[in-house]
Every structure is written in C-alpha cells, then in structure tokens.
Amino acid sequence: EVNIMARKQEELVHAFQRCRYRNQDIARILGINQSTLSLKMQMKNDFTWSEVCALCYLLDIENPLDVIVPIAAVKGDIKRRV
C-alpha cells in the first residue's frame, strides 16, 4: 500500500517537471525554500496536503486525490486522523 502513495507522489513530481514553472517559482508559491522543494521533488520528504492542492491548481488537476493518496487512507486509520 505504501507503494501506491509513492507512485502517486511520483506522478505529481513528473507532472510538475513538465509544467512551465521554474523550481524557484514553485518554491515561492508554496512558501518554502528551494532546498525543501528539492527534497520533496526527490521524494525524500512528503508534500503537505496544502502544497499538493496548490500544485494541482497550478497544473490544472481538478482533484488532488487523482495524484496522491493521503497517508491516513494508506494506513487505514482515517477516523483517527480526521
């Protein structure tokens, strides 16, 4: 199940890499520094839900759940996290 989350995050990263924005622009929009963005792009750190939503907006992806699976859903403990 964790592979699903990693695969979805990888899809988001690939979509981001194909877009017209530069890394420094995305980092500024997300309110993070470029090194933090780099770690997230390398999938060493996870994007926050608000970052995923912002990226989806920039990439014209209507439903963020199309590109990422919340950790709670993967672990099966949604009730505890809501």
Side-chain angles (χ1 to χ4, degrees):
E1 292 178 353
V2 174
N3 291 337
I4 293 170
M5 189 172 71
R7 185 169 38 87
K8 293 281 191 175
Q9 184 168 339
E10 189 173 284
E11 290 173 18
L12 181 62
V13 168
H14 289 305
F16 167 70
Q17 290 170 337
R18 291 188 304 267
C19 78
R20 65 186 184 274
Y21 297 100
R22 298 175 301 171
N23 285 3
Q24 64 190 28
D25 297 329
I26 293 295
R28 182 180 43 78
I29 290 167
L30 296 179
I32 60 177
N33 63 46
Q34 289 185 49
S35 61
T36 300
L37 178 62
S38 177
L39 291 172
K40 292 177 185 221
M41 294 295 291
Q42 295 170 37
M43 296 184 349
K44 293 182 179 178
N45 289 349
D46 293 329
F47 288 99
T48 65
W49 184 246
S50 61
E51 291 166 348
V52 169
C53 292
L55 286 172
C56 287
Y57 177 79
L58 293 173
L59 298 171
D60 293 323
I61 297 170
E62 288 185 30
N63 185 355
L65 294 175
D66 289 341
V67 293
I68 199 153
V69 177
I71 293 171
V74 172
K75 291 185 176 180
D77 60 352
I78 293 174
K79 290 180 182 175
R80 215 172 44 227
R81 298 201 182 243
V82 174

